[in-house]
Amino acid sequence: RVEQAKGRLLPGDVSVEVTRNYGETAAEKASELILHLAIATLSVTALIWLVLGWREALVVLVAVPVTLALTLFVYYALGYTLNRITLFALIFSIGILVDDAIVVVENIERHHREKKGQSFLRTAVEAVDEVGNPTILATFTVIAAILPMAFVSGLMGPYMRPIPVGASVAMLASLAVAFIVTPYLGYRLLKGHVVHAAAAAAAAAGGKPDFNTRFGTGYGRLMRRLMDNG
């Protein structure tokens, strides 16, 4: 644009030099936040992998980008640009939007482990139905706590508005994904598979499931010490 303006808007004896390009610095900040967004998603997925298994982690890994994509679409529809504030809202939302998918997939896995002779489709439906109302209530509770921030007046209101709007939209999207995408992926990936082999073997032998994993053993020791000294 500067080159086009020379000779027309800028006199020929005037030289122009770019001292600071805010576009480059903004692009660097946005790229850095996108990297942190990816790291946060992979960290959550790795945690689910360690606790539940790789199949459950894969379900969450798909659910998070789908939720973020829906949120970005709403951002686009509302006229928000991709900047540091909107990206921060997405990173902030990951910690809460992943809860719905984790709760649903964990309950599907538990029902599948405990109801070995039942149709997996019925098991998945019962698992989602069991945690449906608490998940809806928890989602709208978070929205009720965050959304009022969008109505703040003054100079900070429009500046910070993408955070409550984006977080609320992300929560609603995560609820829809948890009830639609997560059960479908759980049905496809978990059908016929049990993560806890020890629990499956004990159940097949007619005994109670054995949850003496390394995590469970360590947690039990810690809690027993706290309860004995309490």
Side-chain angles (χ1 to χ4, degrees):
R1 291 297 181 91
V2 173
E3 294 296 329
Q4 294 175 0
K6 288 182 178 179
R8 183 169 57 89
L9 299 177
L10 296 175
D13 57 348
V14 175
S15 61
V16 179
E17 182 179 354
V18 178
T19 59
R20 181 174 177 84
N21 189 342
Y22 285 96
E24 291 182 356
T25 57
E28 291 177 0
K29 297 294 184 182
S31 299
E32 183 179 358
L33 284 172
I34 291 175
L35 175 62
H36 292 168
L37 189 65
I39 293 174
T41 303
L42 294 176
S43 300
V44 171
T45 303
L47 181 61
I48 301 302
W49 190 337
L50 291 175
V51 176
L52 293 180
W54 71 268
R55 296 178 186 276
E56 289 80 356
L58 185 60
V59 173
V60 175
L61 182 61
V62 174
V64 172
V66 171
T67 303
L68 294 179
L70 293 174
T71 307
L72 289 174
F73 174 77
V74 174
Y75 269 153
Y76 176 78
L78 294 177
Y80 292 123
T81 59
L82 196 63
N83 52 59
R84 283 176 284 183
I85 299 298
T86 53
L87 287 172
F88 172 78
L90 294 179
I91 296 177
F92 167 76
S93 301
I94 282 185
I96 52 179
L97 65 85
V98 75
D99 288 349
D100 294 345
I102 292 175
V103 168
V104 171
V105 73
E106 190 277 336
N107 209 44
I108 291 176
E109 190 272 339
R110 181 180 65 85
H111 276 253
H112 178 44
R113 188 177 63 241
E114 295 177 355
K115 301 176 181 179
K116 292 301 297 178
Q118 184 173 283
S119 168
F120 186 78
L121 180 60
R122 180 179 177 181
T123 300
V125 172
E126 291 178 353
V128 176
D129 178 67
E130 184 179 47
V131 297
N133 289 336
T135 303
I136 294 173
L137 180 61
T139 299
F140 281 96
T141 300
V142 174
I143 293 175
I146 296 176
L147 193 58
M149 184 181 171
F151 302 99
V152 175
S153 59
L155 294 176
M156 289 301 296
Y159 182 74
M160 301 298 292
R161 191 164 296 149
I163 294 178
V165 172
S168 300
V169 170
M171 289 300 298
L172 291 175
S174 70
L175 186 64
V177 170
F179 288 160
I180 299 173
V181 178
T182 301
Y184 174 78
L185 292 176
Y187 177 77
R188 292 297 182 184
L189 294 175
L190 302 182
K191 183 178 180 181
H193 298 276
V194 177
V195 176
H196 302 286
K208 294 183 178 180
D210 182 12
F211 297 104
N212 290 327
T213 60
R214 287 186 298 175
F215 176 80
T217 302
Y219 180 76
R221 291 175 180 173
L222 174 63
M223 293 306 298
R224 277 194 295 271
R225 291 178 182 177
L226 292 176
M227 295 177 68
D228 292 341
N229 296 330

